[in-house]
């Protein structure tokens, strides 16, 4: 088969979860082009099997959607006509419709389209997978749900592929940032407030882990530096925070995360690496470098957000502070040792809310930092002994 277009136009974690299905497509296709949104592009570029990424902001999926305009839609149709895929697979979450994108792909001349759709698709789909979202399929992990569509479209994993999440190797060498492997990564940021554990709880967790003699690396995006600095505390290194420069400021303004060199961390830089040390890397890594940081960790603590799935993709155990606004059975870290914390029966369960509808945010605020530190001890990989 020639070129196949695979679409997953939402966030980085969603794109990472599509990895096994994409590898199944890549086993038969000459070229796999991923259609991703701006929040998922960097993750798509890390996926094995993806030849290239086509970025388009999807008005019916993006959290900050652009207007639906003729010019915006026409740009995608022209790109797809130029690409001329033999087939397209549209991967969506259970609350997203594939049909608007299927219509645009039809207008672009795509001859065969596959998607999961509970709505009647008419002639928009050639392969329609129907799943019982509220019944027997409700707890199918998202990665397996997408792989099921790939299989129905006649794509399957090659022999020897275990179907776990994965990223391209080798990853960047981040030892100059983190010191030797064996630290705990703490990632307090989230894409939606309803998934957030209180900042003071994150800060207490960091103090507890450091008091146990663990090295802690706090990570976050460029817009989360205030949060990571607060969580890491005043004693965190490195102390050489560079002043903003026009290039870095421009990259951040466009949603790009500069690499370590752009932040003044030279190849000779060495991070604090002693027992009980705390390192703040907020805004200091791009996604590939963050994958390298997480790969060197003995455990990752994160909410239901992209870095938890990135940890699964590099094989690092996860302690997941999981708000039940979406089901943990579908969205918890896939294929790695993990502990899911948070009241999964809270009133917000299944609401898909971006902002918590329950006063006090009890599903996560009720989780004590001591319970999280204890969970780290249960899942931490043996490489912590290398400290």
């Amino acid at each position: 088969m020639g070129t196949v277009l695979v679409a997953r136009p939402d966030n980085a974690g969603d794109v990472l979860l599509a990895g096994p299905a994409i590898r199944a497509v890549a086993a038969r296709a000459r070229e796999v082009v991923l259609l991703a949104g701006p929040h998922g592009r960097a993750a798509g570029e890390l996926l094995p099997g993806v030849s290239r990424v086509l970025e388009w902001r999807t008005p019916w999926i993006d959290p900050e959607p652009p207007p639906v305009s003729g010019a915006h839609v026409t740009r995608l149709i022209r790109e797809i006509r130029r690409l001329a895929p033999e087939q397209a697979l549209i991967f969506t979450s259970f609350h997203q419709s594939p049909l608007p994108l299927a219509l645009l792909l039809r207008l672009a001349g795509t001859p065969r389209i596959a998607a999961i759709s509970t709505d009647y698709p008419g002639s928009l789909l050639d392969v329609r997978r129907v799943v019982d979202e509220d019944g027997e399929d409700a707890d199918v992990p998202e990665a397996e749900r997408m792989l099921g569509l790939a299989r129905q479209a006649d794509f399957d994993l090659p022999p020897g592929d275990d179907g776990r999440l994965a990223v391209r190797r080798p990853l960047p060498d981040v030892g100059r940032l983190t010191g030797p492997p064996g630290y705990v990564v703490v990632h307090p940021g989230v894409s939606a407030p309803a998934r957030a554990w209180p900042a003071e709880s994150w800060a207490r967790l960091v103090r507890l882990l450091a008091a146990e003699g663990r090295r802690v690396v706090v990570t976050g995006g460029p817009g989360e530096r205030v949060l990571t600095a607060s969580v890491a505390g005043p004693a965190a290194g490195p102390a050489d925070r560079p002043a903003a420069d026009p290039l870095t400021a421009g990259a951040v303004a466009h949603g790009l995360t500069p690499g370590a060199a752009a932040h003044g961390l030279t190849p000779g830089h060495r991070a604090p690496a002693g027992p009980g040390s705390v390192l703040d890397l907020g805004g200091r890594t791009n996604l590939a470098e963050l994958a390298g940081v997480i790969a060197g960790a003995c455990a990752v603590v994160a909410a239901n957000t992209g870095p938890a799935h990135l940890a699964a993709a590099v094989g690092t155990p996860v302690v997941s502070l999981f708000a039940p606004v979406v089901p943990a059975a579908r969205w918890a870290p896939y294929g790695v040792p993990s502990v899911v914390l948070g009241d999964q029966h809270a009133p917000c369960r299944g609401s898909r809310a971006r902002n918590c509808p329950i006063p006090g945010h009890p599903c996560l605020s009720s989780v004590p930092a001591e319970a999280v530190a204890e969970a780290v001890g249960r899942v931490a990989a043996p490489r912590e002994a290398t400290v």
Side-chain angles (χ1 to χ4, degrees), residues 56 67-78:
W56 191 70
V68 179
S69 68
H72 188 61
V73 167
T74 298
R75 184 175 72 83
L76 177 65
I77 292 174
R78 286 174 176 168

Side-chain angles (χ1 to χ4, degrees), residues 31-57:
E31 180 184 34
V32 176
V33 177
L34 173 66
L35 177 63
H39 301 289
R41 176 172 191 144
E45 291 171 343
L46 289 179
L47 289 181
V50 172
S51 306
R52 55 193 170 111
V53 179
L54 175 62
E55 181 181 320
W56 191 70
R57 190 183 291 269

Side-chain angles (χ1 to χ4, degrees), residues 184-187 197-212 214 216 231 278 300-302 319 321 368-376:
V184 177
V185 165
V186 169
H187 189 93
W197 196 39
E200 57 270 22
S201 297
W202 284 108
R204 177 162 175 74
L205 172 65
V206 168
R207 294 195 299 269
L208 288 171
L209 294 173
E212 293 175 359
R214 296 186 185 275
V216 181
V231 168
V278 179
V300 170
V301 186
V319 176
L321 287 149
E370 290 80 2
V372 182
E374 187 274 333
V376 169

